[in-house]
Structures are given as structure tokens and as C-alpha cells.
Amino acid sequence: MKIDVTHTAKLANIKVSEQEKKVLSKQLDDTLEHVGRLKEIDTSKVEGTNEVTNLTNVWREDEVNPSISQKEALMNAKRSYNGFFVVSAILEENS
Amino acid sequence: MDIHSLTVIEAKEGLKKKKFSSLELTKTFLDRIIKIEPKLHAFVTVNEQNALSEAKNADKLIADGKEKELTGIPFSIKDNFLTKGIRTTASSKVLDDFIPPYNATVVSKLIDAGIVLLGKTNMDAWAHGSSTETSDYGATRNPWNTEKLPGGSSGGAAASLAADECLAAIGSETAGSIRQPSAWCGTVGFKPTYGRVSRYGVIAMGSSLDSPGPITKTVEDAAFILQILAGKDPFDATTLPSKPENYIVNLKKARKMTIGISDDYFNGVDSEIVKAVNEALEVLQKAGHKIKKIKLFDPKYAIDVYTILQRSEVSSNLARYDGIRYGNDRTFFGEEAKRRIMLGTYALSAGYYDAYYKKAQKVRTLIIQDFNKAFEQVDVIIGPTTPTTALNVGSSKDNPMFGELMDVLVEPSSIAGLCGINMPVGFSKEGMPIGMQIMGPQHGEEQVLYAAYQYEKQTDWRKEKPNI
């Protein structure tokens, strides 16, 4: 098993240097080999567990409750304008 | 006895009888923090000014007879619990300047109960690890020997309590993060059933596993604090709807228990630890409880299940950190976080999902079924908490599986969502604490606390103090 570190880093939105790639590649391969032990266990007749509480359909009444203010919601943002978060453009203009 | 050595229950009594004020108590701990922190580094943030005003306020309430369960009692809280107006980093530089606009439910409950918040404790960054060495703010040291690790991820929490820098500490456990550092630092550490205590406002790590809980000097303190924290929270849909039992009252209800032990949990464990746990079992046997050998699923597979599930949940949970709404951007993630995000992303990616994530979920089912069968025969299961006592500073470096190897004995019960406790049961020849775990079924809090209390009543390990 060889993990494609460049592709995985892109999916994860993580920047990794060439040096880091080498280290990560080896470490991730080792970890995958370790967890590969699970193949030893027969699970052909078993359903997977998503969560352990066995609760289903947890609802609440659709009521408006107090929440944090717009000012508080923005107080940690590096950039804000007129009560909005400012994000960098992701689309390029046609020239 | 020095006031910093008191338990929560004893300090409550002292405050009530006006033997000392909350301000005196709080100043005592702040002085100790100033003195000890250069050697220990258990805190990321000390909340000095607020703590002093909270203490003065508490003294007023006590004078007016308006005190609540924890009025004036100084606590430390792990830095992954959101504290309104107080920086919360999860020991990651991504959140270096993050000031939460609201409190975690656990924090709200403790504030409502009247605590004085001394500060936020250090942890492995994002709670990824079992050493506290992956903190972006530097490792915490073990108060029993500062060349040793405190364990983790709640290493700062356990160390702050063991060094008497607070009366009680709040930690969180995904798989071992309360019990393992408690074993290494010689504290009582309680991990509730998944869903018993709200996760709302706890910086998410493995959402199907995360469980907040108390780290204390005694079982009685653990029961007392758990009572305050436990219960359904409208802000966390996975909290259990059933009403928590009365943990304190049940501690004192005499009964006989059947204790399960499984050989697989003693394999590869240091002989000193095996000996100490066997001696503790004898104490319980002499108190009239029955020991029964049982067979459990080999804990080694829990490492693999946990590694896949946890990395996957991490990659999803840490996807939200984009530096836009709060915190810094993704270039601020440390090595360990990057490694875990990458592995999780891979395990969840197209073509590999069935082989890894789905497979791990199926083995998770087998582990749950195995515990269910065991708890038809026994009330609690006892074993060592960790395979070794505290290791040297630096041990976790260059081992991407370090945490999992140190947590092998607590991961199975975490995966199954069970509750458990670490109890101090002695010291190694090197003078490091040894921990024993007592596991109970889901909703088995009172059984676990009772068994732990039965042991604690007949021993006095708490009287031993680290020389720091």
C-alpha cells in the first residue's frame, strides 16, 4: 500500500512541503499497515456502528431561542465589513 | 493539613465553617501556580484577575448564605472547553487568538454551581496524543518527576491537580485522555458513558467518542462533580435522555459486586503494574467482592479500530478551521494534526472507505457485543490503565502510533462508549504512580464509582505527594 500524499493533501486542504511529504508518506504507510490487521477479523455477518447511544430522531420544538449577537459572531474574524465576514475571492474575472 | 491538599468536599466544609475564605483559597492556588509553573507548565492561560474577583464574589454569597454546590471552589479546565471571554486554544496555534463568544455546557454548569476558574490547562494539540508533547505551547511535565511525561491528552489537567495547583480539574477523553494521564500522574480520573455529559462547546475531536469528565483527588469528589455535569443538554443531541442516578447516595449503599478480569488486559504490561493491580484486587476481594475470570476481545484490535475512526472523525472536524470566522488558517496546523487529518482524509476517500472506515465500524460492533456479553456476567471489569508508568520526556517523538500504544487498555471501552475510572494503586520503584482502571457498562456510572470507592476507603495513596 502506497498512499498518494500529494493527492491526499489536496483533498485535506493542507499544504505540505516536499520534505514533509517524504516523512508523512512513510509514517502514513506504516500506520495503514498497522491498522491492516483488522483484515484478520471476519466481519462478513456484522453491521457497522455509527454511534453508540442508540438514540434515533432527536428533535426539539422549532422555537426561536436567544443566540449570540452579530457583533459577537464577528469578533474573532480577521476581516469583516458591514457585519459580514470577508473572504478572499475564489473566482477569477474574465479579462 | 495545608489548604491546597484538601479535597473539594473538605474545602466546601471549610468554606461553610469559615475556616478560610474563597479568596484565601484562590490566592493559595495562584501562588502555587506562580511557584510551580516554570517547572510544570500545566497551564496555557492563567485567569488570575477574574479568579480573584470570582473568589470575592463567592465569599459574599457564602456570607449571605446563598452558596451553591461549588461556590468558591477553584478549578482548572482543559483548554478545549470554550470559556466565554477567555482565550481557548486547544493548545494549537490555529486558535492562538481565539476568544470564545459563549461557554461550553460543562463550563456553564460549573459557573452556575459557583466555581472559581483558575485557568485553562495544557493538552496535546487538538487532544491528539497521550503525552501532552504535541502541544504547540510546549510539553507539560509530570509533577512526580519533571523528566517524565504527564500523559495526555488531558496532561495539563492531571498534572495541575497532582501538583495541588487546583482543587479539581476538568478533562475530556476520546480514548484514554482522562484515564491515562490520571494513571501517570496519580489522580482519580472519571470517563463517563458517551452521552452522559454534554459535548457542546468542547472543541470536537472524535465526535462519536468525546466524553468530558472530572479529574479529582477522591472518588467522592468525582461523584459530586459528575452529578453537576451529567444530564441531557438541548445543545447536544447525543446526550442521554435518562435522568442521572444519585451518585453520592449510591456510593454508600452497601452491596456485593462481581468483578471481571481478563488475561488479555495484563499481557505485555509492566510487572510492577500487574503486581499493584493484583494487590488492589485482593483488597476488593477481602471486602467481600467476587472476582471472576472472563474472556474479552483482544484489546490490540481496538488500536486499529480507534486509529481509523478517530483519524476519520478528526479530518472531518478539523475541516472547519479556515481562518475566516476565527483563528488562523490551515498553515498553522502542527505535524501531528496534519498527519491525522491526512490519514483520515485517506480512510474516508473514494475507493478506500469500505476497506478502512466501514471495516473499523464493523469491528466496533463486535467490540460492543463482546462487552455486552461480559457485563451479563459481571458488574465491573478491572485491569491496568496503562502498560507502563510515565515515560521520559521525548518518548512520543517520531512514533505516530505512540498515543494508541499507551492507550491500548482504555481504547476498547471508549470505542464501546462505556464509562470507566482510573484509580491510583501504588508507585513503581522509580516513584511513579500506577493506575488501575475500573470499567462499567453504558450507564454504569454508579457501579464504577462504588467499586472505586470500595477500594479507596481501604487505602491512602492520596497522602503521598509529589515533591515539586
Side-chain angles (χ1 to χ4, degrees):
Chain A
M1 174 65 63
K2 280 272 173 260
I3 185 166
D4 183 344
V5 175
T6 309
H7 177 64
T8 309
K10 192 176 166 227
L11 289 177
N13 191 18
I14 293 278
K15 282 200 179 72
V16 284
S17 66
E18 287 307 312
Q19 181 54 34
E20 277 180 306
K21 271 184 201 169
K22 272 188 214 149
V23 178
L24 277 169
S25 177
K26 163 98 177 59
Q27 288 177 334
L28 295 175
D29 279 345
D30 286 352
T31 305
L32 286 174
E33 197 187 314
H34 200 284
V35 301
R37 276 198 308 208
L38 290 182
K39 288 194 199 104
E40 295 165 13
I41 302 169
D42 178 12
T43 53
S44 55
K45 295 190 183 81
V46 188
E47 291 286 318
T49 297
N50 292 308
E51 63 88 40
V52 296
T53 63
N54 295 319
L55 298 171
T56 47
N57 296 343
V58 179
W59 307 110
R60 67 165 175 81
E61 290 305 312
D62 187 18
E63 289 163 347
V64 178
N65 289 317
S67 184
I68 59 170
S69 65
Q70 191 175 26
K71 192 176 154 210
E72 285 171 309
L74 287 164
M75 72 184 209
N76 281 287
K78 298 272 188 297
R79 291 184 295 162
S80 68
Y81 177 75
N82 273 356
F84 290 96
F85 292 108
V86 175
V87 298
S88 302
I90 53 165
L91 300 172
E92 287 168 20
E93 271 182 58
N94 278 332
S95 55
Chain B
M1 190 185 250
D2 299 321
I3 59 174
H4 60 255
S5 304
L6 297 174
T7 68
V8 170
I9 303 281
E10 289 164 352
K12 270 166 60 76
E13 193 62 21
L15 286 170
K16 201 177 161 194
K17 291 194 173 147
K18 311 259 173 2
K19 284 189 189 159
F20 44 81
S21 67
S22 174
L23 190 61
E24 283 170 65
L25 198 55
T26 302
K27 278 185 175 163
T28 302
F29 285 113
L30 288 171
D31 287 348
R32 284 185 67 80
I33 288 171
I34 288 166
K35 194 179 118 214
I36 296 171
E37 275 300 284
K39 288 181 274 183
L40 197 64
H41 189 45
F43 286 85
V44 178
T45 302
V46 178
N47 188 34
E48 190 178 348
Q49 289 313 315
N50 290 334
L52 290 170
S53 64
E54 286 161 18
K56 283 179 202 157
N57 198 26
D59 285 330
K60 260 187 237 140
L61 289 171
I62 294 166
D64 294 347
K66 287 182 183 162
E67 73 269 20
K68 297 201 206 144
E69 300 104 303
L70 291 171
T71 299
I73 302 291
F75 267 60
S76 75
I77 295 183
K78 188 179 179 181
D79 206 25
N80 59 344
F81 288 82
L82 300 193
T83 41
K84 187 175 179 176
I86 301 167
R87 183 174 80 138
T88 300
T89 67
S91 290
S92 166
K93 295 277 183 187
V94 172
L95 297 178
D96 192 43
D97 57 0
F98 175 53
I99 310 288
Y102 64 95
N103 281 322
T105 295
V106 161
V107 174
S108 298
K109 286 189 170 191
L110 292 169
I111 290 174
D112 288 348
I115 67 157
V116 169
L117 175 57
L118 292 168
K120 306 294 294 291
T121 52
N122 197 20
M123 52 189 280
D124 284 288
W126 306 106
H128 297 167
S130 305
S131 64
T132 317
E133 277 191 302
T134 69
S135 166
D136 289 348
Y137 298 92
T140 295
R141 304 300 180 109
N142 193 309
W144 294 91
N145 177 347
T146 52
E147 297 304 309
K148 303 269 184 193
L149 294 169
S153 64
S154 311
S160 74
L161 184 79
D164 282 333
E165 291 182 312
C166 56
L167 277 177
I170 296 297
S172 68
E173 169 157 335
T174 306
S177 282
I178 287 175
R179 289 173 287 175
Q180 185 258 7
S182 289
W184 282 12
C185 291
T187 56
V188 173
F190 192 87
K191 182 241 179 253
T193 302
Y194 177 81
R196 186 72 288 175
V197 175
S198 168
R199 293 179 293 112
Y200 179 71
V202 185
I203 293 173
M205 201 257 257
S207 301
S208 78
L209 299 143
D210 295 343
S211 309
I215 296 177
T216 55
K217 294 173 186 171
T218 64
V219 176
E220 210 175 2
D221 278 3
F224 188 79
I225 296 164
L226 182 66
Q227 200 79 57
I228 293 164
L229 304 183
K232 182 157 176 59
D233 177 12
F235 295 136
D236 176 0
T238 59
T239 45
L240 304 169
S242 60
K243 194 170 172 283
E245 286 149 319
N246 191 322
Y247 303 126
I248 291 275
V249 167
N250 284 334
L251 272 189
K252 296 175 184 171
K253 263 191 203 159
R255 69 208 111 136
K256 297 291 173 237
M257 302 192 110
T258 305
I259 297 162
I261 51 168
S262 169
D263 285 341
D264 283 323
Y265 280 68
F266 291 81
N267 286 342
V269 172
D270 279 0
S271 58
E272 286 183 293
I273 297 178
V274 171
K275 186 167 167 276
V277 172
N278 281 330
E279 284 167 4
L281 284 165
E282 273 172 40
V283 169
L284 286 163
Q285 220 167 358
K286 276 193 192 132
H289 305 289
K290 220 167 75 187
I291 310 283
K292 188 179 163 79
K293 280 236 175 191
I294 53 168
K295 177 87 189 113
L296 284 176
F297 207 84
D298 189 336
K300 75 176 186 188
Y301 293 111
I303 295 182
D304 307 315
V305 173
Y306 178 71
T307 301
I308 295 169
L309 296 179
Q310 191 266 359
R311 302 316 188 254
S312 301
E313 294 184 20
V314 159
S315 75
S316 167
N317 274 325
L318 297 197
R320 75 184 57 147
Y321 298 100
D322 53 15
I324 293 170
R325 294 152 301 156
Y326 51 86
N328 294 311
D329 67 41
R330 296 174 78 74
T331 60
F332 284 74
F333 278 124
E335 258 177 68
E336 184 69 23
K338 281 190 200 174
R339 190 154 52 228
R340 293 193 183 209
I341 293 169
M342 295 273 285
L343 193 86
T345 303
Y346 178 81
L348 291 177
S349 64
Y352 302 103
Y353 176 85
D354 283 354
Y356 292 105
Y357 190 67
K358 212 162 175 197
K359 180 78 185 179
Q361 284 189 311
K362 287 181 175 179
V363 181
R364 186 179 200 178
T365 304
L366 293 175
I367 293 171
I368 292 169
Q369 290 171 347
D370 185 61
F371 274 120
N372 286 346
K373 257 190 272 163
F375 284 116
E376 283 170 12
Q377 309 168 54
V378 298
D379 299 304
V380 292
I381 299 169
I382 285 183
T385 307
T386 55
T388 71
T389 53
L391 296 176
N392 290 334
V393 170
S395 305
S396 76
K397 300 268 159 74
D398 304 320
N399 186 350
M401 297 289 279
F402 176 85
E404 276 48 78
L405 298 171
M406 290 306 116
D407 289 334
V408 56
L409 302 174
V410 278
E411 283 181 348
S413 58
S414 293
I415 287 167
L418 311 182
C419 58
I421 198 169
N422 172 73
M423 289 300 294
V425 290
F427 292 87
S428 69
K429 280 192 207 86
E430 274 190 313
M432 299 311 288
I434 294 174
M436 170 177 87
Q437 62 166 326
I438 306 172
M439 293 173 262
Q442 277 189 311
H443 318 278
E445 273 73 13
E446 66 97 17
Q447 278 146 263
V448 167
L449 289 166
Y450 180 74
Y453 187 62
Q454 285 285 297
Y455 173 74
E456 190 183 65
K457 269 201 314 191
Q458 326 223 17
T459 51
D460 55 1
W461 299 113
R462 183 167 80 83
K463 291 194 182 134
E464 305 281 334
K465 288 283 177 189
N467 182 20
I468 187 161

mmCIF file with all atom_site columns, all heavy atoms in Angstrom, chain A residues 7-19:
data_model
loop_
_atom_site.group_PDB
_atom_site.id
_atom_site.type_symbol
_atom_site.label_atom_id
_atom_site.label_alt_id
_atom_site.label_comp_id
_atom_site.label_asym_id
_atom_site.label_entity_id
_atom_site.label_seq_id
_atom_site.pdbx_PDB_ins_code
_atom_site.Cartn_x
_atom_site.Cartn_y
_atom_site.Cartn_z
_atom_site.occupancy
_atom_site.B_iso_or_equiv
_atom_site.pdbx_formal_charge
_atom_site.auth_seq_id
_atom_site.auth_comp_id
_atom_site.auth_asym_id
_atom_site.auth_atom_id
_atom_site.pdbx_PDB_model_num
ATOM 1   N N   . HIS A 1 7  ? -1.990 13.960 -3.486 1.00 0.00 ? 7  HIS A N   1
ATOM 2   C CA  . HIS A 1 7  ? -3.430 13.971 -3.731 1.00 0.00 ? 7  HIS A CA  1
ATOM 3   C C   . HIS A 1 7  ? -4.212 14.098 -2.416 1.00 0.00 ? 7  HIS A C   1
ATOM 4   O O   . HIS A 1 7  ? -5.160 14.876 -2.314 1.00 0.00 ? 7  HIS A O   1
ATOM 5   C CB  . HIS A 1 7  ? -3.824 12.689 -4.470 1.00 0.00 ? 7  HIS A CB  1
ATOM 6   C CG  . HIS A 1 7  ? -5.301 12.563 -4.711 1.00 0.00 ? 7  HIS A CG  1
ATOM 7   N ND1 . HIS A 1 7  ? -5.993 13.448 -5.516 1.00 0.00 ? 7  HIS A ND1 1
ATOM 8   C CD2 . HIS A 1 7  ? -6.216 11.673 -4.238 1.00 0.00 ? 7  HIS A CD2 1
ATOM 9   C CE1 . HIS A 1 7  ? -7.269 13.090 -5.538 1.00 0.00 ? 7  HIS A CE1 1
ATOM 10  N NE2 . HIS A 1 7  ? -7.433 12.030 -4.764 1.00 0.00 ? 7  HIS A NE2 1
ATOM 11  N N   . THR A 1 8  ? -3.799 13.340 -1.407 1.00 0.00 ? 8  THR A N   1
ATOM 12  C CA  . THR A 1 8  ? -4.500 13.367 -0.118 1.00 0.00 ? 8  THR A CA  1
ATOM 13  C C   . THR A 1 8  ? -4.392 14.756 0.520  1.00 0.00 ? 8  THR A C   1
ATOM 14  O O   . THR A 1 8  ? -5.367 15.272 1.074  1.00 0.00 ? 8  THR A O   1
ATOM 15  C CB  . THR A 1 8  ? -3.943 12.288 0.830  1.00 0.00 ? 8  THR A CB  1
ATOM 16  O OG1 . THR A 1 8  ? -3.924 11.047 0.134  1.00 0.00 ? 8  THR A OG1 1
ATOM 17  C CG2 . THR A 1 8  ? -4.789 12.132 2.073  1.00 0.00 ? 8  THR A CG2 1
ATOM 18  N N   . ALA A 1 9  ? -3.217 15.372 0.413  1.00 0.00 ? 9  ALA A N   1
ATOM 19  C CA  . ALA A 1 9  ? -3.025 16.714 0.980  1.00 0.00 ? 9  ALA A CA  1
ATOM 20  C C   . ALA A 1 9  ? -3.954 17.713 0.283  1.00 0.00 ? 9  ALA A C   1
ATOM 21  O O   . ALA A 1 9  ? -4.504 18.614 0.918  1.00 0.00 ? 9  ALA A O   1
ATOM 22  C CB  . ALA A 1 9  ? -1.575 17.157 0.839  1.00 0.00 ? 9  ALA A CB  1
ATOM 23  N N   . LYS A 1 10 ? -4.157 17.524 -1.008 1.00 0.00 ? 10 LYS A N   1
ATOM 24  C CA  . LYS A 1 10 ? -5.037 18.417 -1.756 1.00 0.00 ? 10 LYS A CA  1
ATOM 25  C C   . LYS A 1 10 ? -6.483 18.246 -1.267 1.00 0.00 ? 10 LYS A C   1
ATOM 26  O O   . LYS A 1 10 ? -7.186 19.214 -0.994 1.00 0.00 ? 10 LYS A O   1
ATOM 27  C CB  . LYS A 1 10 ? -4.927 18.101 -3.246 1.00 0.00 ? 10 LYS A CB  1
ATOM 28  C CG  . LYS A 1 10 ? -5.583 19.150 -4.111 1.00 0.00 ? 10 LYS A CG  1
ATOM 29  C CD  . LYS A 1 10 ? -5.369 18.875 -5.593 1.00 0.00 ? 10 LYS A CD  1
ATOM 30  C CE  . LYS A 1 10 ? -6.330 19.746 -6.387 1.00 0.00 ? 10 LYS A CE  1
ATOM 31  N NZ  . LYS A 1 10 ? -7.025 19.006 -7.414 1.00 0.00 ? 10 LYS A NZ  1
ATOM 32  N N   . LEU A 1 11 ? -6.894 16.970 -1.107 1.00 0.00 ? 11 LEU A N   1
ATOM 33  C CA  . LEU A 1 11 ? -8.247 16.705 -0.599 1.00 0.00 ? 11 LEU A CA  1
ATOM 34  C C   . LEU A 1 11 ? -8.443 17.308 0.793  1.00 0.00 ? 11 LEU A C   1
ATOM 35  O O   . LEU A 1 11 ? -9.508 17.795 1.133  1.00 0.00 ? 11 LEU A O   1
ATOM 36  C CB  . LEU A 1 11 ? -8.494 15.190 -0.507 1.00 0.00 ? 11 LEU A CB  1
ATOM 37  C CG  . LEU A 1 11 ? -8.664 14.395 -1.793 1.00 0.00 ? 11 LEU A CG  1
ATOM 38  C CD1 . LEU A 1 11 ? -8.833 12.915 -1.451 1.00 0.00 ? 11 LEU A CD1 1
ATOM 39  C CD2 . LEU A 1 11 ? -9.868 14.885 -2.575 1.00 0.00 ? 11 LEU A CD2 1
ATOM 40  N N   . ALA A 1 12 ? -7.391 17.241 1.607  1.00 0.00 ? 12 ALA A N   1
ATOM 41  C CA  . ALA A 1 12 ? -7.479 17.695 3.003  1.00 0.00 ? 12 ALA A CA  1
ATOM 42  C C   . ALA A 1 12 ? -7.271 19.201 3.123  1.00 0.00 ? 12 ALA A C   1
ATOM 43  O O   . ALA A 1 12 ? -7.398 19.755 4.215  1.00 0.00 ? 12 ALA A O   1
ATOM 44  C CB  . ALA A 1 12 ? -6.450 16.958 3.856  1.00 0.00 ? 12 ALA A CB  1
ATOM 45  N N   . ASN A 1 13 ? -6.938 19.864 2.014  1.00 0.00 ? 13 ASN A N   1
ATOM 46  C CA  . ASN A 1 13 ? -6.642 21.296 2.028  1.00 0.00 ? 13 ASN A CA  1
ATOM 47  C C   . ASN A 1 13 ? -5.517 21.624 3.016  1.00 0.00 ? 13 ASN A C   1
ATOM 48  O O   . ASN A 1 13 ? -5.624 22.519 3.849  1.00 0.00 ? 13 ASN A O   1
ATOM 49  C CB  . ASN A 1 13 ? -7.912 22.095 2.344  1.00 0.00 ? 13 ASN A CB  1
ATOM 50  C CG  . ASN A 1 13 ? -7.728 23.581 2.120  1.00 0.00 ? 13 ASN A CG  1
ATOM 51  O OD1 . ASN A 1 13 ? -6.796 23.983 1.430  1.00 0.00 ? 13 ASN A OD1 1
ATOM 52  N ND2 . ASN A 1 13 ? -8.601 24.393 2.702  1.00 0.00 ? 13 ASN A ND2 1
ATOM 53  N N   . ILE A 1 14 ? -4.460 20.826 2.931  1.00 0.00 ? 14 ILE A N   1
ATOM 54  C CA  . ILE A 1 14 ? -3.299 21.012 3.799  1.00 0.00 ? 14 ILE A CA  1
ATOM 55  C C   . ILE A 1 14 ? -2.088 21.215 2.892  1.00 0.00 ? 14 ILE A C   1
ATOM 56  O O   . ILE A 1 14 ? -1.917 20.471 1.929  1.00 0.00 ? 14 ILE A O   1
ATOM 57  C CB  . ILE A 1 14 ? -3.054 19.735 4.648  1.00 0.00 ? 14 ILE A CB  1
ATOM 58  C CG1 . ILE A 1 14 ? -4.192 19.509 5.642  1.00 0.00 ? 14 ILE A CG1 1
ATOM 59  C CG2 . ILE A 1 14 ? -1.714 19.773 5.350  1.00 0.00 ? 14 ILE A CG2 1
ATOM 60  C CD1 . ILE A 1 14 ? -4.119 20.286 6.908  1.00 0.00 ? 14 ILE A CD1 1
ATOM 61  N N   . LYS A 1 15 ? -1.271 22.217 3.219  1.00 0.00 ? 15 LYS A N   1
ATOM 62  C CA  . LYS A 1 15 ? -0.035 22.407 2.439  1.00 0.00 ? 15 LYS A CA  1
ATOM 63  C C   . LYS A 1 15 ? 1.087  21.605 3.094  1.00 0.00 ? 15 LYS A C   1
ATOM 64  O O   . LYS A 1 15 ? 1.324  21.740 4.280  1.00 0.00 ? 15 LYS A O   1
ATOM 65  C CB  . LYS A 1 15 ? 0.356  23.884 2.429  1.00 0.00 ? 15 LYS A CB  1
ATOM 66  C CG  . LYS A 1 15 ? -0.467 24.712 1.461  1.00 0.00 ? 15 LYS A CG  1
ATOM 67  C CD  . LYS A 1 15 ? 0.251  26.029 1.128  1.00 0.00 ? 15 LYS A CD  1
ATOM 68  C CE  . LYS A 1 15 ? -0.552 26.834 0.141  1.00 0.00 ? 15 LYS A CE  1
ATOM 69  N NZ  . LYS A 1 15 ? -1.774 27.429 0.756  1.00 0.00 ? 15 LYS A NZ  1
ATOM 70  N N   . VAL A 1 16 ? 1.739  20.752 2.296  1.00 0.00 ? 16 VAL A N   1
ATOM 71  C CA  . VAL A 1 16 ? 2.888  20.018 2.846  1.00 0.00 ? 16 VAL A CA  1
ATOM 72  C C   . VAL A 1 16 ? 4.103  20.228 1.929  1.00 0.00 ? 16 VAL A C   1
ATOM 73  O O   . VAL A 1 16 ? 3.980  20.187 0.708  1.00 0.00 ? 16 VAL A O   1
ATOM 74  C CB  . VAL A 1 16 ? 2.611  18.505 3.019  1.00 0.00 ? 16 VAL A CB  1
ATOM 75  C CG1 . VAL A 1 16 ? 1.754  18.233 4.222  1.00 0.00 ? 16 VAL A CG1 1
ATOM 76  C CG2 . VAL A 1 16 ? 1.969  17.899 1.784  1.00 0.00 ? 16 VAL A CG2 1
ATOM 77  N N   . SER A 1 17 ? 5.243  20.455 2.543  1.00 0.00 ? 17 SER A N   1
ATOM 78  C CA  . SER A 1 17 ? 6.474  20.667 1.785  1.00 0.00 ? 17 SER A CA  1
ATOM 79  C C   . SER A 1 17 ? 6.984  19.327 1.246  1.00 0.00 ? 17 SER A C   1
ATOM 80  O O   . SER A 1 17 ? 6.533  18.268 1.680  1.00 0.00 ? 17 SER A O   1
ATOM 81  C CB  . SER A 1 17 ? 7.534  21.297 2.692  1.00 0.00 ? 17 SER A CB  1
ATOM 82  O OG  . SER A 1 17 ? 7.882  20.365 3.709  1.00 0.00 ? 17 SER A OG  1
ATOM 83  N N   . GLU A 1 18 ? 7.935  19.375 0.310  1.00 0.00 ? 18 GLU A N   1
ATOM 84  C CA  . GLU A 1 18 ? 8.499  18.136 -0.247 1.00 0.00 ? 18 GLU A CA  1
ATOM 85  C C   . GLU A 1 18 ? 9.130  17.299 0.866  1.00 0.00 ? 18 GLU A C   1
ATOM 86  O O   . GLU A 1 18 ? 8.992  16.077 0.892  1.00 0.00 ? 18 GLU A O   1
ATOM 87  C CB  . GLU A 1 18 ? 9.546  18.461 -1.328 1.00 0.00 ? 18 GLU A CB  1
ATOM 88  C CG  . GLU A 1 18 ? 8.929  18.979 -2.630 1.00 0.00 ? 18 GLU A CG  1
ATOM 89  C CD  . GLU A 1 18 ? 7.840  18.059 -3.205 1.00 0.00 ? 18 GLU A CD  1
ATOM 90  O OE1 . GLU A 1 18 ? 8.076  16.841 -3.286 1.00 0.00 ? 18 GLU A OE1 1
ATOM 91  O OE2 . GLU A 1 18 ? 6.744  18.576 -3.553 1.00 0.00 ? 18 GLU A OE2 1
ATOM 92  N N   . GLN A 1 19 ? 9.817  17.981 1.784  1.00 0.00 ? 19 GLN A N   1
ATOM 93  C CA  . GLN A 1 19 ? 10.452 17.275 2.908  1.00 0.00 ? 19 GLN A CA  1
ATOM 94  C C   . GLN A 1 19 ? 9.375  16.570 3.752  1.00 0.00 ? 19 GLN A C   1
ATOM 95  O O   . GLN A 1 19 ? 9.518  15.396 4.092  1.00 0.00 ? 19 GLN A O   1
ATOM 96  C CB  . GLN A 1 19 ? 11.241 18.300 3.749  1.00 0.00 ? 19 GLN A CB  1
ATOM 97  C CG  . GLN A 1 19 ? 11.967 17.727 4.939  1.00 0.00 ? 19 GLN A CG  1
ATOM 98  C CD  . GLN A 1 19 ? 12.909 16.567 4.564  1.00 0.00 ? 19 GLN A CD  1
ATOM 99  O OE1 . GLN A 1 19 ? 13.511 16.546 3.494  1.00 0.00 ? 19 GLN A OE1 1
ATOM 100 N NE2 . GLN A 1 19 ? 12.996 15.556 5.446  1.00 0.00 ? 19 GLN A NE2 1
#
